[in-house]
Amino acid sequence: MQTSWLATSIAFELQNTDYPNESLQRRMTAVKEDVQTTEIQAVGEALASLHAGDIFATATLTTKSAYIAK
């Protein structure tokens, strides 16, 4: 069986008392296949810096692949 990468997306969770349920999700869909944890951390921190009081809480990385039977 062979695997073929299709897409990768990331959901960033920011926490702040200003948001409903004290949480806000920011999603990015155009993510490269080999994204590194340091890059995810840097983007999460950059997003948190855009609004006073935001804290970067989590990032959920989702990768879609096709499995091709041979």
Side-chain angles (χ1 to χ4, degrees), residues 2-8 33 62-68:
Q2 185 179 16
T3 303
S4 179
W5 174 78
L6 299 175
T8 300
E33 180 179 8
T62 304
T63 300
K64 294 181 182 180
S65 298
Y67 293 93
I68 304 163

Side-chain angles (χ1 to χ4, degrees), residues 8-21:
T8 300
S9 63
I10 302 176
F12 294 92
E13 180 187 356
L14 304 172
Q15 295 179 342
N16 190 323
T17 56
D18 291 346
Y19 301 132
N21 299 321

Side-chain angles (χ1 to χ4, degrees), residues 13-67:
E13 180 187 356
L14 304 172
Q15 295 179 342
N16 190 323
T17 56
D18 291 346
Y19 301 132
N21 299 321
E22 298 185 357
S23 179
L24 176 71
Q25 294 254 334
R26 297 276 185 207
R27 291 178 178 79
M28 296 187 178
T29 56
V31 179
K32 65 182 185 174
E33 180 179 8
D34 60 346
V35 65
Q36 302 295 309
T37 56
T38 53
E39 296 168 317
I40 295 170
Q41 183 71 33
V43 172
E45 290 173 1
L47 289 170
S49 73
L50 296 175
H51 187 267
D54 277 6
I55 299 169
F56 170 44
T58 64
T60 303
L61 181 69
T62 304
T63 300
K64 294 181 182 180
S65 298
Y67 293 93

